[in-house]
Amino acid sequence: MATVMFRDVRKAFGQVEVLHGVSVDIEEGQFVVLVGPSGCGKSTLLRMLAGLEHITAGEIVIGDRVVNTLPPKDRDIAMVFQNYALYPHITVAENMGFSLMLKGAAKTDIEAKVRPAAEILGLTHLLDRYPRQLSGGQRQRVAMGRAIVRNPQVFLFDEPLSNLDAKLRVSMRSEIKNLHQRLKTTTVYVTHDQIEAMTMADKIVVMHDGIVEQVGEPLELYDRPANLFVAGFIGSPAMNMTPGRLNDDDPGVFVTGQGQRISVANVGAAKPGRDLICGIRPEAIHLRGDVALRVKVVEPTGSETHVVADLDGNEMTCVFRERIKAGPGDELKVSIDPEAIHLFDAEGGQRLSA
Amino acid sequence: MQARPARSSSILGWLLESRNGLGLLFMLPAAVFLLCFLTYPLGLGVWLGFTDARIGREGIFIGLENYIWLFDDPVFWLSVFNTMLYTVVASVLKFALGLWLALILNQHLPFKTFFRAIILLPWVVPTVLSALAFWWIYDSQFSIISYVLMNLGVINEPINFLGDPTNARASVIAANVWRGIPFVAISLLAGLQTIPQSLNEAAALDGATSWQRFTKITLPLLTPIIAVVMTFSVLFTFTDFQLIYVLTRGGPVNATHLMATLSFQRAIPGGQLGEGAAIAVAMIPFLLAAILFSFFGLQRRKWQQGGGD
């Protein structure tokens, strides 16, 4: 177990800089998820931590060592790749024991380390198979087993679940989380899926275009997104964004471009006269109230009902716990929780609500 | 149930309507082609080997006489030895150098595509043309190699490349290797590119040195391709004719006569069609052995079996 520190890390491919100074501290035993849309530099950052990409500027520290120039094999890390990267020509057991075999460990020692790891992951009956003979989820587990056998300082995961089908993804998600709670090894996990990030992380690092947008615990990011990007990225269905201004006479009221009035409890640094974006989470909209919505689409999911509706020309997604009987074109009266409204600067996208 | 049309009772109807009949019909052009240009010459060659045919004279069946004659012919055995030597040495060199080249070309090099195109040149140039070029390079008086070495003061007189048996063997092997490397290198390069980069990265993280990555990851994953490429390479080399014929015509004192050139020599300039055919037929067991070797070498290994994705 070790801490990991990124200090103003930069990466350039030729003239193009893709990481513009990333600084993140990861504590011992933490499960940190790097999340962001494709091309945001999260995988590059992970590969730099692994030693597979050169570090253009800045420092990466694992434990108390600066690892910038250390080759991958000396960094004491293990990585699970998106395509699993299992060696196809050797068995599951040999895959898992590969690193030990390279070190010249005795057969019995390798066996003694591979077996418990296989037991943790439920792979014991598959040890003699070849990777080709396994299903996607099993391969995923073998890849994790290979990492566990190494007993490294840090686990790295590079989008490990994106090749699995939706159902398996959910179960592997909790399996990885379980594994982490059991081994308590510092883990850095890259994904583009914000739900994975929310459900698994102790700490989320939201990245976008080569910079860190926000670092924090999952619910902290959800409840207090630092800017419009994080607000739109975290949460599903996504936050509704409505442009408008605060009322000049009554700063507790947000007026949309079309004149719809919405009460706001947490105004923070927002001032009347500035162009603002009002962010409303879909579940902050409740049935019954004085705001009139025009229903466009109703999506019942069973436990909830998602309604896409029109609020003066702005599309609003609402999530109701109740089952409602409404069809396209119907009018729906709702209220919006004033406490749950986020105000952002329309220009820079920064959060203004406290 | 629909009534069967009347014509289905005729053979033509059967051909056009049944699955097997149609299949037969579609195979016919290829079958005719193979029969005319592959099976017939091969059969004729085998038949000629059992006759005493000469140019301009139909032969009569003489059984194994040609083979018995060849069995006591030291020149024939010399050509067998030469062919084996030529094939083994040239194939090993082609494999080693080709793999090395492929590994280099698989790296991130400047002008990578340019180099890859250049590599193919010896393969693209007609054999006779490159053989002529080598003929000049190996010339006993005007050889550029001798010229350079003499000017550098390494040697005092020109090297007798094609006049001395040992030199001649080495020279034709070198020319063959030069010509055969592109095929091996480009095919192995294609094989190398099918190995996912992440396997090498995973191995690097697992603590493998670059040599271990080569022996434990790259080489095992490349074996299926190596088996195909080297089978073809061995077959091409074993049956080589043009290069030898242009460079040495089998000389000096038959030191570079391969079975293919000896067969031609005896059959056409020598006029002994039957004997030449017998030599050619004697190549078949060797070629069959190479094909069988590849057949077993090419069998899917255990790790390649089982369900795909």
Side-chain angles (χ1 to χ4, degrees):
Chain A
M1 266 197 285
T3 58
V4 175
M5 259 184 282
F6 298 96
R7 289 197 195 126
D8 195 28
V9 171
R10 286 164 192 276
K11 176 71 187 176
F13 292 105
Q15 295 295 310
V16 188
E17 195 175 75
V18 295
L19 286 176
H20 316 289
V22 171
S23 299
V24 178
D25 281 3
I26 297 168
E27 288 159 33
E28 243 178 60
Q30 238 179 2
F31 195 115
V32 172
V33 175
L34 306 179
V35 68
S38 11
C40 71
K42 56 192 190 299
S43 280
T44 307
L45 191 65
L46 191 78
R47 291 170 58 82
M48 287 161 84
L49 176 57
L52 301 173
E53 297 280 356
H54 175 74
I55 299 164
T56 310
E59 266 184 355
I60 296 181
V61 185
I62 300 176
D64 43 17
R65 291 185 301 173
V66 176
V67 296
N68 280 31
T69 54
L70 230 50
K73 67 189 175 78
D74 297 331
R75 296 192 181 192
D76 203 5
I77 45 179
M79 182 156 165
V80 175
F81 290 82
Q82 178 173 359
N83 63 359
Y84 321 134
L86 299 181
Y87 312 123
H89 59 295
I90 51 179
T91 62
V92 167
E94 288 166 324
N95 260 284
M96 289 172 66
F98 192 72
S99 58
L100 301 172
M101 187 271 289
L102 289 176
K103 279 187 204 141
K107 268 215 162 109
T108 47
D109 291 352
I110 298 178
E111 165 92 19
K113 290 204 171 169
V114 167
R115 211 147 257 292
E119 264 160 35
I120 292 176
L121 295 162
L123 290 169
T124 317
H125 62 294
L126 301 173
L127 282 176
D128 292 327
R129 300 253 189 111
Y130 286 93
R132 249 176 184 268
Q133 300 163 321
L134 304 181
S135 70
Q138 290 168 336
R139 287 181 208 187
Q140 176 62 60
R141 257 184 237 133
V142 175
M144 293 192 325
R146 195 167 63 182
I148 293 172
V149 168
R150 295 270 313 279
N151 191 21
Q153 300 263 10
V154 185
F155 276 133
L156 308 182
F157 290 88
D158 188 6
E159 310 222 10
L161 304 185
S162 45
N163 285 2
L164 302 179
D165 63 60
K167 206 167 179 181
L168 201 53
R169 209 176 292 170
V170 173
S171 69
M172 285 306 289
R173 212 158 70 192
S174 54
E175 211 165 301
I176 292 178
K177 199 171 176 179
N178 253 327
L179 192 70
H180 176 253
Q181 279 159 5
R182 183 166 176 167
L183 300 173
K184 299 202 166 41
T185 307
T186 313
T187 303
V188 184
Y189 184 107
V190 162
T191 180
H192 60 266
D193 182 351
Q194 58 91 20
I195 294 191
E196 267 174 43
M198 291 294 285
T199 50
M200 300 170 81
D202 294 327
K203 184 150 111 179
I204 297 180
V205 178
V206 182
M207 295 181 66
H208 180 223
D209 283 346
I211 59 162
V212 172
E213 295 278 1
Q214 191 174 1
V215 180
E217 287 170 22
L219 291 180
E220 192 183 324
L221 297 193
Y222 190 81
D223 293 337
R224 293 178 35 79
N227 51 47
L228 277 176
F229 177 79
V230 178
F233 191 76
I234 300 285
S236 171
M239 187 186 272
N240 299 297
M241 309 277 191
T242 313
R245 290 176 171 215
L246 285 182
N247 191 328
D248 292 334
D249 306 324
D250 180 3
V253 174
F254 181 86
V255 186
T256 67
Q258 283 71 29
Q260 177 75 47
R261 297 163 69 88
I262 301 168
S263 314
V264 183
N266 183 355
V267 175
K271 295 270 179 308
R274 275 184 88 166
D275 284 332
L276 301 174
I277 304 275
C278 164
I280 306 166
R281 292 269 179 216
E283 68 275 12
I285 303 170
H286 304 287
L287 284 177
R288 285 174 291 277
D290 47 6
V291 179
L293 298 177
R294 181 76 51 196
V295 174
K296 286 163 108 177
V297 180
V298 180
E299 301 170 330
T301 67
S303 61
E304 303 168 330
T305 311
H306 296 194
V307 176
V308 180
D310 184 271
L311 174 71
D312 297 326
N314 284 302
E315 202 165 84
M316 289 282 232
T317 306
C318 322
V319 173
F320 301 119
R321 301 290 306 168
E322 300 89 344
R323 298 186 176 185
I324 61 165
K325 280 209 160 61
D330 290 354
E331 195 184 72
L332 204 60
K333 287 283 196 181
V334 298
S335 61
I336 298 169
D337 184 359
E339 301 283 343
I341 286 176
H342 310 259
L343 292 180
F344 300 94
D345 188 1
E347 227 164 90
Q350 295 309 308
R351 177 186 184 85
L352 296 174
S353 300
Chain B
M1 280 281 279
Q2 206 180 343
R4 288 163 70 90
R7 70 162 191 203
S8 66
S9 56
S10 71
I11 290 179
L12 183 73
W14 176 78
L15 273 179
L16 289 177
E17 294 216 336
S18 103
R19 229 181 127 71
N20 289 335
L22 263 181
L24 218 67
L25 216 60
F26 282 132
M27 281 195 299
L28 209 59
V32 167
F33 191 86
L34 284 176
L35 274 174
C36 290
F37 298 107
L38 216 74
T39 316
Y40 172 67
L42 186 69
L44 186 65
V46 172
W47 164 249
L48 282 174
F50 291 115
T51 68
D52 64 349
R54 292 175 181 221
I55 290 181
R57 196 194 76 184
E58 291 261 346
I60 53 159
F61 184 78
I62 54 166
L64 290 172
E65 209 171 291
N66 280 327
Y67 295 95
I68 295 166
W69 169 260
L70 281 177
F71 194 79
D72 290 327
D73 179 2
V75 178
F76 169 71
W77 285 113
L78 182 64
S79 79
V80 172
F81 168 77
N82 287 339
T83 311
M84 301 292 280
L85 182 80
Y86 185 75
T87 308
V88 170
V89 175
S91 297
V92 167
L93 285 176
K94 276 189 268 196
F95 171 65
L97 294 172
L99 181 58
W100 180 61
L101 246 160
L103 287 169
I104 293 177
L105 287 176
N106 200 30
Q107 306 289 320
H108 291 286
L109 285 177
F111 310 113
K112 190 158 66 178
T113 33
F114 175 72
F115 281 121
R116 283 183 189 171
I118 288 276
I119 291 290
L120 272 177
L121 270 184
W123 184 252
V124 173
V125 176
T127 313
V128 176
L129 204 64
S130 53
L132 280 173
F134 269 102
W135 193 44
W136 270 111
I137 292 173
Y138 292 150
D139 191 275
S140 56
Q141 284 179 52
F142 307 109
S143 161
I144 185 160
I145 300 174
S146 299
Y147 176 79
V148 169
L149 289 178
M150 272 159 71
N151 275 3
L152 287 174
V154 181
I155 52 173
N156 294 321
E157 51 182 33
I159 300 170
N160 190 6
F161 282 106
L162 299 177
D164 171 82
T166 314
N167 283 356
R169 280 176 179 154
S171 301
V172 291
I173 287 174
N176 179 277
V177 167
W178 178 83
R179 213 189 124 58
I181 279 183
F183 171 70
V184 176
I186 295 294
S187 309
L188 291 185
L189 178 62
L192 282 176
Q193 289 179 339
T194 62
I195 299 175
Q197 183 63 30
S198 58
L199 287 186
N200 269 306
E201 291 175 348
L205 282 165
D206 272 344
T209 60
S210 50
W211 176 250
Q212 283 174 319
R213 290 208 298 273
F214 175 70
T215 55
K216 303 232 184 290
I217 306 291
T218 308
L219 214 49
L221 291 180
L222 209 55
T223 40
I225 307 263
I226 290 175
V228 185
V229 171
M230 288 322 290
T231 303
F232 277 95
S233 179
V234 164
L235 292 184
F236 291 151
T237 316
F238 197 90
T239 55
D240 197 8
F241 171 82
Q242 298 178 63
L243 223 140
I244 300 288
Y245 203 71
V246 173
L247 280 179
T248 65
R249 300 206 171 223
V253 277
N254 300 323
T256 59
H257 243 321
L258 303 185
M259 290 168 87
T261 51
L262 188 68
S263 160
F264 176 79
Q265 178 88 34
R266 295 265 166 98
I268 309 298
Q272 306 284 353
L273 277 180
E275 201 183 318
I279 297 174
V281 169
M283 292 169 75
I284 293 177
F286 294 101
L287 296 175
L288 275 183
I291 290 169
L292 279 181
F293 176 79
S294 81
F295 176 77
F296 289 110
L298 286 178
Q299 272 184 334
R300 280 154 68 89
R301 281 157 191 74
K302 210 172 165 205
W303 58 265
Q304 291 172 293
Q305 288 164 359
D309 292 72

